[in-house]
Amino acid sequence: MSIDELICYSDSLHCINLIKGLQVKYRIQAVLIQDIKDLISQINVSIYHTLREGNQCADFFAKLRVSSDVDFVTHTSPPEGVRNLLKND
C-alpha cells in the first residue's frame, strides 16, 4: 500500500505492551504477536494508547462494518452517525 508512516491508537494497553515488549513465549498468541512486530519493523509505525472514550470513531466504524455485507466502502463525507463523535474529538 506504499505506507511510509502509520500511527495506530488502541484502547487495549495490554495489547500495546505485548507488541512493544520483549519476545513473548508460551502464549497462544505468540506467533501472531511476533508477526505484528515483524510487520511494524518494516515501516515507520507508532503505537499509542488511547482511552476508550477517545476511540469512539473507530468503534463506530467497526460496528458499521459488522452490520454491512460489503467488503470495502469509501466514504466521501462522514456518515451521519459519526458526525457528533468527530465534533467531540
Side-chain angles (χ1 to χ4, degrees), residues 67-86:
S67 65
S68 173
D69 60 351
V70 179
D71 289 335
F72 183 79
V73 176
T74 302
H75 299 278
T76 56
S77 62
E80 188 60 40
V82 81
R83 291 181 186 185
N84 287 336
L85 299 175
L86 288 170

Side-chain angles (χ1 to χ4, degrees), residues 2 8 10 15 21 37 43-44 49 52 67 85 89:
S2 300
C8 178
S10 174
C15 289
K37 289 180 179 191
I43 61 172
N44 186 14
H49 180 252
R52 184 168 288 130
S67 65
L85 299 175
D89 276 355

